[in-house]
Structures are given as C-alpha cells and as structure tokens.
Amino acid sequence: MAVTRVSRAFKDISLSFEPHPVTKDLPILKNENAIRRSVRNLVETIPTERFFNSLLGSEVRSSLFEFVDYGTASIIEDQILTTVRNFEPRVTNVKVEVDPQPDENTFNVTVVFDIIGQDVPTQAFTFILEATR
Amino acid sequence: MPFTKFTNLDFDQIKTSIKDYLRANSDFTDFDFEGSNFSVLIDTLAYNTYITAFNSNMVVNESFLDSATLRENVVSLARNIGYTPRSRTAARAHVTISVPTSATSPTLTLQAGLVCVGTANESTYTFSIPENVSTTINGGVATFGTTASPIEIYQGTFLTKQFVVDGSLDQRFILDNSFIDTSSIVVYVKGPSDSGLGREYQKVDNIIRIERTSEIYLLQEVQDEKYELLFGDGIFGKKLENSSVITVTYIITDGKDGNGPSEFSFSGTFRDSSSNPVIPAGSVTLTTVQGAMNGGEIEPVSSIKYFAPRLYSAQYRAVTSRDYEAIIQQIYPNTESVSVVGGEELSPPQFGKVLISIKPKNGDFISDFDKETILSKLKQYSLTGINQEIIDLKILYVEIDSSIYYNSPQVSNVSGLKATAVDALNTYASSVDLNKFGGRFKYSKILQIIDNADRSITSNITKVRIRRNLKALVNQFAQYELCYGNKFHINSQGYNIKSTGFYISGNTDLVYFTDVPNKTSTGTLDGSGRGVLSVVKRMNDGEYRVIIASAGTIDYANGEIIINTINITSTEKENNIIEVQAYPESNDVVGLSDLYLSFSISDSTINMVKDVISSGEDISGVTFTRDYYTSSYSNGELERK
C-alpha cells in the first residue's frame, strides 16, 4: 500500500540569528517562508560550494557577466528550474520568469511555485541578480 | 535518542547521525531538505567533525610503526629505534680500461664522474665512478684494473654538493636529490687549515667506539627520499668548525633498471699527475669483466616495518637466526632471502658454527668476493667464538607435468591458451609462498590457478616432481649427497629417481641413475624406506643394462640420495650439471631448513589436451578414454626427459 503523506509544518532556523525581542529565542522560519528561503539558498549556492555534494546549487552566477538579454535570461531560467526540481521536493508547478534589465545590467527573477501538501496559496518571490563588479 | 555513534569516519554517516539525533530531539523539521538553512549548519558541523575525526585517526595511525602509512613517518619511527632504511643501490659492473697515451707523467688518473655508457632494453644508461682512480703508465699504455681486480663502475650520474658551515644551530646538510645510492657518498671537510678538498670523513651507523676527534658523519633519510648528513658535536665525533667547507660527492641512480648492460662505450676523462687534462693517443679499450648487476630500489615501507623492529631486537648483535636475517639484509642489501642454521642442528653437530645461505636478488649464487665482505662485516656483530660460514644455495626445484583440458569451441589459438596458463603459473612462481627458505609449494593452489587461467580450461591433471642439480666434479673421484627434505614416493618397481645423462670413467656410453627399493624375498617392499641407487645405460634395442649395481643409497623416508665414490667425466647438460629428479610423497613440497624452494616452469611440461566430452564431440566418453586419456601417475621411463 502506498504511503500516504500527511501534511506537516515545515520549520527551519533563520540564519539572521537575531534573537526574538521578548523570548530571546532564535528566529524561526515556518512553512512557506522556510521553503522560500530554501529555494533561494539553492539558487544562490554555487555548485561544489557544499561539502561532499558538488552538484547542489545552480550556475546562475556564471551567467551574470553575459549580455543582459533574453538569451541569457532563458539560460538562467533553465538553470533555476533544474536546480529547484532536483533539490527541492516540497514544491511543484515551478515557474521562473527572468526579466533582463539591460540599462541596469541586472536580471529580475521571479520564482512562482506551489507547496505540496500545504493549504497555502501559490508562492512567489522576486530577487535581482546583478553583477556587482 | 542519545548520540552514541562515535566511530563514524565518513561524512555522510556523520551527517546522517546528526540528522537522526535532531529528528528525535528537536522541534525543527527541515534538515532533510538540502536547500534549508539547517542543512547548511549540519553540513558545516558534519564537515568539522569529519576533519577532526580524520586528523585524529591520522595522528594516531602515523604515530606507530605498525600503522603508519606515509614513508616519511615510517622512516622517522624506524629512526627512533636506530634503523636506517636501505637506499637505492646502483647496478655495478666490473671493467678494465686500457688507454694508449703520450703523457709524460708517471701516472694517469681516471676522473671521478662519468666513465662510460651502456645500453639495455633499448635504453641508455650512464656509468660513473665515485672517486678518482690512478694507475701507472707502462710503455705508453695505462691500464686501469685487471681481470682479477677490475674497477667497479656504478650506474648513475655523479654529482657534487658543497656546504659552507655557518655555525648556526639550525643549519642542515641535506642532499637535494632523491635516488641517491648512499654507498657512493664520499664526504670531505675542509677546515680553515686544510688544503684541497680537505679530510675525508667516514660514515658510521652508530656511536660505538666513536671519540670526540673521530672524523665521522651519520646519514638519515628525510622527506622525499632525500638524505641528510649529521656531523659530530665535539663529544661524539669531531665538531665542524665555522666556515669549513663540506664537499659531498654521490651518485644518483636508476636502481633496478640499470641492471643488464654488459657492453660499454667509454666517455670518461683523464688527467695526468699535475691534474692537466690528457687526451688519449689512440682509442680507449674497455673490457667488461662482469655486466651491470645488483641494482635495487629504495627499501619499501613494508620492508622497513618488517626489519626495523628486528634489527632493534637484534641490538647489533648476531645471536639468534632472526638476528642474522636482519643484519645480513643490512650489510648486503642485495639479499632476497636468508637461511641460517646453527651447527648444533646439523648431523653430526658442529658446535660453534653457523651456516648461512643467502639468495641474492639477481641470480642464484653470491660471488666469493661478496662472501668475504659479508663475513668480515658480520664479524663486528657476532659473538666471540662463533664462526660463520656462507654456504652456496641449495635449490630445490619443483616442476610440474600438467595436462590441461580445454573446451575446443571456445579456443581459437591453443598456443595462446597455453601461454595464458604459463603466465598465470609464472605469477605464482614469483609469489612469496615460494622463492624463500621454508617456502611451500601448494598443490591445490596450482590446480586452481591452471583451472582459472581461462574460461575455456575445463580441468587439469598435474603431477609434481622435485629436482636437485648435482654439480659434478669432473674427472675426480668424489662422493655426493643430495638432500631433498621431502619424503619420496616409493614405487616398488623403481622408476622413482631419474637423472639426465652423464659419462663415467671406464665406460663410453651415456649412463643414468636409477633406483631399486629394498624388498623382501617375496618381492614386496621391506618397509625400511630405503633403496639402492644404480647406474644404467640404454642399449640400442631400448633395453637398459646395469653398469654399477650399487652406486649409492636412497633414503626415501627422509628424501636423501647418497652417491658412493664415482668418477664422472662429463655430463649431458651444460656446466657439469646432472639433474636428479624424484616424485614427492606429498604433492605439497616444503623447502626444508637450508633448501631454497624454486618453482621451475621452464623445466615443467605442459600439454594441452582437447576435452572432447565438453566440446560435445564425444557423448559417451569412449573416444576420451581411448585417445585423450592422461594418467595421474608417473611414466615408466628410466631416464629424465
């Protein structure tokens, strides 16, 4: 019989390490926030950066010095999609939109996804990829 | 859940155990997902744990001689117990050089350094000498070395290194090259009042009998197989003075690869007694007395681990046979295996005597010169009143007569298949089970090796023979004794002992040894385990005729053949050798005490036989038993074929 997965709460630690003003506990990321952070971590990790797991991460950083056009945007889109599909099993219906901003030399990235087994609306988060030097 | 797994050394295992712990003891859930922040923290912790575990494991392992793996550490630990690993040894050749010269000086000097170039295995090797050699000029010709006392040339490149002593405490004298033959190192120290290169310092291995003025140095291996010179401190050995110049000459060598060249072309340089260069008046004649041999690699880590504790327990004293084993390895690096037998174990006992047989790495015998060198070096380790004698190696050859059955449809080239089987046997022949004193030939292993040599081999029938080579003293009356150290199989009809042919005085025919076991009057074996050795010849009609009925005795139970006084004039085999073979009672042959066991594949017989049953040509087995049948017992021939 197939195992039925029950819906669970996701709970992760926050790397800001700023204590709660009242309880002085470490900050906690829950559910969609935790997953959103996780997707962001995956995209921003450079492959080989993680010990003994050289495949984890995406190569978007290496594309940042390419021309800021739709061609490069499409490559980045693919890279992010592949990474999320491979390493984040909690999300589905992943869509990535990369919008090149040639004047600012940046890409606006929006990742849209659904969380499996959680009764929350479709999640989206946006970040800017920019070559800083 | 308590965190109890402390033995994990693998990153993934450490990570899993941290996750297991968190799963049972924490409110957090996301550590299973690689993208989570928690995963980053766990990775860092696991990596830290892994590195710590690896480091402590390495530190502990490398602290003990038994478990250390890095050469540098093994050498350093061996040094703590006074063991200096053997260096690479240069192959050495012996030559004489004859030079026509018009130089007017009384002597001619062959300069240290490159002397000649030799070729082996399509590679060219340079040969050098570590020190100048001088000779007198007679009648316009200078001859270096004689056939009886040739000059020794070392395979390798001659190098010189100079150090100036600056008096600082941390100055080290490290020779910058790997692959040095340390026996070629010559050290000169030129103090402020010395001229030329200065005084030659001697290498010592320990500080026994060293005084404050002894001009000595010690040698130790440091990183990357390089060597460091250590000088005296004014208490043990003379202290170096400030601004002294140390000149070290040495040879770096190709080691084992340099063995082989026997023809050389001269490339050396000459100087006269005033150190002026001399150009030969004609062509230089270089005659080889002995080709290059005895080159060897640096002592491997496994050997250091084996011998260092033994040499330490021997304490530079040759008392037990194990002491001799360690010390002889040290003083004669070309040793492959040593057997030492105390005189009290001999029959009759010879008290106060130690018999040593040494198997050199290349070849079967060590030269008389080497024997004398070993004995004289051994004297300083041995007990007073004990005499050592180096006896020639007694080799017990094991041969097989094997019929190998193969499934013919699977074989395209039968000789190729035979070569595969021979290759597999050769690998076993060079293994550590054999080729040593006290070695054992394992019959079941051989059967397995042949069967597994190729998939097409279906079975094999293998008989074992043992053989000793009798070196005849030609044209002399002599008695001989051959010990096999293994019980012989007795066939009451004889045919147990066979030999190659030889000639004896008073008879012009080729004759052979054969045996007749002792029997009772009813014709059965008398149970004494003994027999008589006879000499027979083959007649033209194929029959044999007895020439000497009782030429010696055979002790089947102890595997000994004693040949009474006989005058052998020549032998069928070269070098006055008579090969005498027997069938061992047990197929597992042991190299007893001073017998060196050698598996002789070149003298073995290997027949390839078609397995007609496996190939489907013969369903009933009738053809097989008629045409492809092999007996598991020895044949009825009297001679050794």
Side-chain angles (χ1 to χ4, degrees), chain B residues 106-365:
Chain B
T107 60
L108 194 67
T109 300
L110 178 60
Q111 282 281 102
L114 178 65
V115 171
C116 56
V117 176
T119 309
N121 304 327
E122 296 175 2
S123 299
T124 307
Y125 296 97
T126 54
F127 284 77
S128 311
I129 50 171
E131 289 179 278
N132 291 345
V133 180
S134 296
T135 189
T136 51
I137 302 172
N138 284 328
V141 178
T143 308
F144 295 89
T146 59
T147 311
S149 160
I151 60 170
E152 191 170 51
I153 54 174
Y154 294 62
Q155 189 280 315
T157 312
F158 178 78
L159 295 173
T160 303
K161 165 99 182 162
Q162 276 197 332
F163 303 93
V164 178
V165 179
D166 60 13
S168 63
L169 288 174
D170 57 353
Q171 188 178 17
R172 298 180 73 185
F173 306 107
I174 297 175
L175 304 178
D176 289 328
N177 301 85
S178 305
F179 315 133
I180 296 174
D181 178 351
T182 54
S183 67
S184 69
I185 295 178
V186 183
V187 176
Y188 299 95
V189 178
K190 185 188 171 195
S193 56
D194 293 326
S195 61
L197 286 173
R199 298 177 63 80
E200 184 174 342
Y201 275 43
Q202 299 301 320
K203 176 176 169 269
V204 291
D205 296 325
N206 52 55
I207 54 170
I208 298 168
R209 287 194 291 274
I210 301 298
E211 295 162 7
R212 59 194 310 160
T213 54
S214 304
E215 294 177 333
I216 51 102
Y217 69 95
L218 291 118
L219 200 65
Q220 70 178 25
E221 187 183 325
V222 290
Q223 297 89 351
D224 304 329
E225 303 178 10
K226 292 175 184 169
Y227 290 90
E228 180 180 11
L229 305 176
L230 303 169
F231 291 89
D233 56 0
I235 298 167
F236 290 109
K238 192 173 175 182
K239 192 177 181 183
L240 295 173
E241 292 173 77
N242 267 1
S243 311
S244 295
V245 179
I246 302 170
T247 308
V248 189
T249 61
Y250 52 93
I251 286 173
I252 55 166
T253 174
D254 293 305
K256 204 169 69 177
D257 292 346
N259 290 335
S262 57
E263 286 182 20
F264 304 98
S265 56
F266 184 79
S267 321
T269 46
F270 298 105
R271 286 182 189 274
D272 63 15
S273 46
S274 320
S275 293
N276 297 318
V278 172
I279 296 168
S283 62
V284 177
T285 315
L286 193 148
T287 314
T288 308
V289 178
Q290 186 183 58
M293 57 193 283
N294 293 348
E297 295 305 312
I298 195 165
E299 183 169 8
V301 167
S302 57
S303 169
I304 300 173
K305 285 184 178 179
Y306 182 78
F307 283 108
R310 277 163 184 75
L311 196 76
Y312 178 64
S313 63
Q315 291 284 328
Y316 290 99
R317 293 287 173 269
V319 181
T320 68
S321 55
R322 287 275 170 201
D323 299 346
Y324 277 97
E325 190 181 318
I327 290 170
I328 288 173
Q329 279 279 357
Q330 196 68 17
I331 59 182
Y332 186 62
N334 194 30
T335 309
E336 186 174 302
S337 189
V338 181
S339 166
V340 178
V341 182
E344 74 282 359
E345 288 177 33
L346 300 176
S347 145
Q350 298 178 33
F351 296 104
K353 199 165 205 181
V354 174
L355 299 181
I356 304 164
S357 343
I358 301 171
K359 165 74 174 69
K361 280 181 185 145
N362 315 301
D364 291 337
F365 299 101

